[in-house]
Amino acid sequence: MDQIILQILNGLDKGSAYALIALGLTLIFGTLGVVNFAHGALFMLGAFCAVTVQRLLTLSHEVVDPERTDFLGNPLKVDVPYVMDIFGESTGAAIIDWSVPLAILFAIPVMILIGVVMERGLIKHFYKRPHADQILVTFGLAIVLQEIIKYFYGANPIQTPAPEAFRGSLDFGVWLGFEANQIIYPYWRLVYFLFAAIIIAGVFAFLQFTTFGMVVRAGMADRETVGLLGIDIDKRFTMMFGIAAAVAGLAGVMYGPINAPNYHMGMDFLVLSFVVVVVGGMGSLPGAVAAGFLLGILESFASMSAVIDLIPGINQIIIYLVAIVILLTRPRGLMGRKGVMED
Amino acid sequence: MSSSNFTRRGVLRTGAATGAGLALPTIFSGAAWSQGFTNEPTGSTVTLGFNVPQTGPYADEGADELRAYQLAVEHLNGEGDGGMLQTFSSQALDGAGILGKKVEYVTGDTQTKSDAARASAKSMIEKDGAVMITGGSSSGVAVAVQALCQEAGVIFMAGLTHSNDTTGKDKRANGFRHFFNSYMSGAALAPVLANAYGTDRKAYHLTADYNWGYTTEEAIRASTEAMGWETVNAVKTPLTQTDFSSYIAPVLNSGADVLVLNHYGGNMVNSLTNAVQFGLREAQANGKDFEIVVPLYSRLMARGAGENVKGIYGSTNWHWSLPDEGSKAFVQSFGTKYGFPPSQAAHTCYVQTLLYADAVSRAGSFNPCAVVEALEGFEFDGLGNGPTLYRAEDHQCFKDVLVVRGKENPQSEFDLLEIVEITPVEQVTYPVDHPQFAGGALGTCNPGA
């Protein structure tokens, strides 16, 4: 029983990342009808927003320490961050410690800007082209973005640790009456899950309760009619692209402390997120979220050694297996609408 | 009107011969055939092929390998401060290139993919005339390129490759490995682990699901079980895995009190980070402190894992803080040129280039068979690992192995590992027919002509 609870918890944080990326993908697909293979790269760019903020906060000047030597025997040059000069040592250290949460403030405008530039600069030229062309151009864009990041940040993962207060883990099992050490769960993963829940709720509330959201929903249902009503739907859809980019970016920022960001992390999530979208139902926002969590949890279960012993290799194919079963029984996915991608 | 010489039989015969000629791999055709051996250098220069990952997940390691190769070429051509040429026990190299020929080089990108690595090696041999191929950061690539070099008749000096198979079941007469291997890691680590953590331990292995992972798990299990440890579980993890939480979470509950991470590169960075997040380092199991072990450490990986490596044991082929004259000379010239100390990958690549050049000089020929003969059973010192033997039977270097531990209070971003023990070569030496290296045959050298 404790193992099952443990894997459900594990699936929640992975599912959160899938759900956030899939939510953005579905928003873009639902509004603009574009299959955006660069969406994983937006997740990666978000994570590198955290890296960038960390780098900015740790910008340093060198102070020579004559008492210590470096690897060549010369006097050691110690880096002192400017933040510590300005705010004092302890406040400066605390600011650096909180660089990941601070990166959220940086990532929101940056990611919206990247999203809007991407849509206006490249993707809008492909609206009327076949889906295959859209996939090729966005996939190409993803590779370009990935290589740019590798050029500036290198190929190795870069640690972006969580604030000191959120390191360590919670003995969840003790709460449920199990013995100590049975169900351990890192604090930051709980934070990630709650953060994802807030973002998802925020996006739904935005679409449901604002005029902007109402127009976007109407546009998703019937773009032509909304256009005929004199509403500039294109402008709103561009904004939605920016918002979807910000959602993926925020998912990336907060994911940094879970897995050190590297340039190809976007690709690692991209394919799975597409499976999530298809399983959830193309164009269905609740479907994307539900499928994200479902597949995250199933993936966790399939990684249990008891399951692998029973069916070797299941951990690598479970998601695709479930996708096949769901698409065979429900060809439109869990919550897919009629008519989407069926023309 | 002259009568035609074409007959049906004649056309058939010519066609068959031409077809057979075209079907031959291009590697065996052209200039290579007409000479004594493949790519015999005839002018005033000799070309070496540096095949390193320039793109892909090990690109940073590849970049460090390339820096080391460039430094080696400088030193061979008499430029710079000479580095390890000053400390190398063999004094056959004089800084005037190799056999009086100036050393030039071409580079290829392995992408850490076997097919891409073979393609780039093939291109360097066929198009650029490389007489020796060296480099790489993965055992899969090393085994593939080694086999290609054997067929093509050029020498392969392996870069970073740690799987037993490179000089075990996949060994080749034209291939040589200076880097240590999984067996040696196990043999060096086990006594240190038993000393630090006791002999009554239960280990849980997470193993990368490919060749290097298997041989490393096998080696570490064999040597720790011989010390009295018990292996409670061993789980294979996909190479593409980035979040290891679902593999790590059940560990604490499994009855194990040690976690062995048979992972390298990004896999290791992520799995170790996850293990620390799940509180394994502070945890208690079976009344003891829970411990984590990483069999193969590299400084670049340690840098990626950050603070998480503190106090964690592993093994390494070489470390820049070694106090011997050879290491000091290499760190000095690398550090002066590039501004930071070299990695173990850089070290092994630099040393391999010098060893090749030295073997050619001693043999007085670039002929691969002469080089093989010069390297087989060659004993040397002054290259950073103490007295070393290139064993004739499997072309594996035998030398001391370093057991390291993540440093608690690093002084700089490079000062991440501390040497705990230098395991003497006798302790890591194994017979040629050891079961972990069984199968395959060295064969005979191929000069390509």
Side-chain angles (χ1 to χ4, degrees), chain A residues 2-3 6-7 10 13-14 68 70-72 76 79 147 150 153-159 167-169 181-187 189 255-260 262-265 268-269 299-305 308-309 315-316, chain B residues 54-60 204 209 233 235-238 240-247 249-250 252-253 266 269-270 273-274 277-279 282-284 300 303-308 320 331-332 335-336 339-342 411-412 414:
Chain A
D2 51 334
Q3 288 292 315
L6 192 60
Q7 294 302 351
N10 261 326
D13 59 67
K14 208 176 290 179
R68 291 189 289 168
D70 70 2
F71 71 100
L72 289 174
L76 185 69
D79 292 335
E147 291 301 314
K150 196 173 79 177
Y153 293 91
N156 278 336
I158 302 166
Q159 292 284 335
R167 287 179 215 167
S169 45
N181 278 348
Q182 296 289 300
I183 305 174
I184 298 279
Y185 200 65
Y187 290 124
R189 289 180 187 248
Y255 201 74
I258 294 178
N259 272 136
N262 62 48
Y263 73 98
H264 59 95
M265 66 189 295
D268 300 338
F269 273 89
E299 200 186 0
S300 279
F301 275 115
S303 310
M304 287 167 71
S305 57
I308 298 176
D309 288 346
N315 50 339
Q316 300 191 50
Chain B
Q54 298 181 38
T55 57
Y58 294 151
D60 286 358
Y204 191 109
D209 198 357
N233 203 353
V235 178
K236 306 262 185 292
T237 59
T240 50
Q241 192 76 26
T242 52
D243 183 7
F244 289 85
S245 56
S246 44
Y247 297 95
L252 208 47
N253 231 340
V269 171
N270 287 330
T273 305
N274 288 167
Q277 281 169 2
F278 273 79
E282 293 87 40
Q284 293 266 318
L300 295 173
R303 203 169 160 194
E307 290 200 341
N308 301 325
W320 62 265
V331 172
Q332 180 69 40
T336 309
F340 46 84
Q411 301 289 314
S412 71
F414 312 113

Side-chain angles (χ1 to χ4, degrees), chain A residues 280-292:
Chain A
M282 292 294 285
S284 162
L285 294 173
V289 174

Side-chain angles (χ1 to χ4, degrees), chain A residues 82-313:
Chain A
Y82 288 111
V83 177
M84 287 192 181
D85 289 345
I86 300 166
F87 297 101
E89 204 161 318
S90 61
T91 316
I95 292 174
I96 293 170
D97 186 38
W98 280 77
S99 62
V100 170
L102 286 174
I104 293 175
L105 303 175
F106 174 78
I108 293 174
V110 169
M111 292 308 298
I112 289 180
L113 186 70
I114 290 174
V116 169
V117 169
M118 216 165 113
E119 197 270 342
R120 286 289 95 184
L122 180 72
I123 292 175
K124 78 164 184 186
H125 303 293
F126 286 80
Y127 285 155
K128 297 201 169 88
R129 303 277 282 268
H131 285 309
D133 288 9
Q134 298 171 352
I135 290 171
L136 283 176
V137 75
T138 50
F139 195 72
L141 179 65
I143 294 171
V144 170
L145 291 173
Q146 188 170 301
E147 291 301 314
I148 290 174
I149 288 294
K150 196 173 79 177
Y151 179 79
F152 286 106
Y153 293 91
N156 278 336
I158 302 166
Q159 292 284 335
T160 49
E164 190 71 44
F166 293 103
R167 287 179 215 167
S169 45
L170 172 75
D171 200 335
F172 203 72
V174 174
W175 287 16
L176 302 175
F178 290 99
E179 276 178 38
N181 278 348
Q182 296 289 300
I183 305 174
I184 298 279
Y185 200 65
Y187 290 124
W188 188 258
R189 289 180 187 248
L190 277 179
V191 171
Y192 193 77
F193 172 64
L194 293 174
F195 177 79
I198 292 169
I199 295 282
I200 291 166
V203 170
F204 276 91
F206 178 73
L207 288 175
Q208 209 64 37
F209 303 121
T210 63
T211 319
F212 186 101
M214 193 180 69
V215 174
V216 169
R217 277 188 295 127
M220 281 169 84
D222 190 343
R223 184 187 184 128
E224 213 168 317
T225 310
V226 175
L228 288 173
L229 290 172
I231 296 168
D232 185 356
I233 194 71
D234 281 354
K235 202 166 151 191
R236 286 175 170 77
F237 281 179
T238 304
M239 268 320 288
M240 279 321 290
F241 199 101
I243 291 170
V247 168
L250 289 181
V253 170
M254 295 294 275
Y255 201 74
I258 294 178
N259 272 136
N262 62 48
Y263 73 98
H264 59 95
M265 66 189 295
M267 287 293 178
D268 300 338
F269 273 89
L270 176 76
V271 178
L272 290 177
S273 301
F274 261 98
V275 177
V276 167
V277 171
V278 173
V279 168
M282 292 294 285
S284 162
L285 294 173
V289 174
F293 284 109
L294 174 75
L295 293 183
I297 291 169
L298 280 174
E299 200 186 0
S300 279
F301 275 115
S303 310
M304 287 167 71
S305 57
V307 180
I308 298 176
D309 288 346
L310 207 64
I311 316 168

Side-chain angles (χ1 to χ4, degrees), chain B residues 5 101 180:
Chain B
N5 288 329
K101 294 184 193 295
F180 72 146

Side-chain angles (χ1 to χ4, degrees), chain B residues 224-415:
Chain B
T224 52
E225 284 169 12
M227 294 278 166
W229 285 24
E230 187 190 329
T231 305
V232 293
N233 203 353
V235 178
K236 306 262 185 292
T237 59
L239 195 54
T240 50
Q241 192 76 26
T242 52
D243 183 7
F244 289 85
S245 56
S246 44
Y247 297 95
I248 299 275
V251 173
L252 208 47
N253 231 340
S254 62
D257 44 41
V258 176
L259 172 64
V260 182
L261 295 173
N262 300 308
H263 288 150
Y264 190 69
N267 270 184
M268 174 269 180
V269 171
N270 287 330
S271 64
L272 180 59
T273 305
N274 288 167
V276 173
Q277 281 169 2
F278 273 79
L280 293 191
R281 289 188 57 184
E282 293 87 40
Q284 293 266 318
N286 306 329
K288 306 178 189 97
D289 285 342
F290 196 95
E291 305 293 352
I292 303 171
V293 177
V294 176
L296 177 60
Y297 248 136
S298 81
R299 193 197 72 223
L300 295 173
M301 265 157 58
R303 203 169 160 194
E307 290 200 341
N308 301 325
V309 299
K310 284 183 180 178
I312 289 174
Y313 283 98
S315 65
T316 189
N317 190 57
W318 178 83
H319 192 255
W320 62 265
S321 66
L322 281 167
D324 64 283
E325 291 307 314
S327 298
K328 272 166 41 188
F330 179 51
V331 172
Q332 180 69 40
S333 61
F334 190 100
T336 309
K337 186 170 165 73
Y338 300 114
F340 46 84
S343 63
Q344 62 171 351
H347 170 256
T348 201
C349 290
Y350 177 87
V351 168
Q352 283 281 70
T353 314
L354 259 50
L355 282 168
Y356 170 78
D358 173 74
V360 171
S361 301
R362 285 185 292 112
S365 166
F366 287 96
N367 188 319
C369 289
V371 177
V372 168
E373 205 182 312
L375 279 172
E376 282 185 343
F378 178 51
E379 289 182 55
F380 58 93
D381 199 355
L383 296 184
N385 298 96
T388 305
L389 163 73
Y390 240 130
R391 188 157 75 178
E393 290 81 2
D394 54 5
H395 295 183
Q396 168 70 50
C397 264
F398 286 83
K399 52 192 167 29
D400 298 346
V401 169
L402 305 183
V403 176
V404 291
R405 185 171 51 198
K407 215 166 184 176
E408 291 292 345
N409 293 307
Q411 301 289 314
S412 71
E413 58 177 322
F414 312 113
D415 182 35

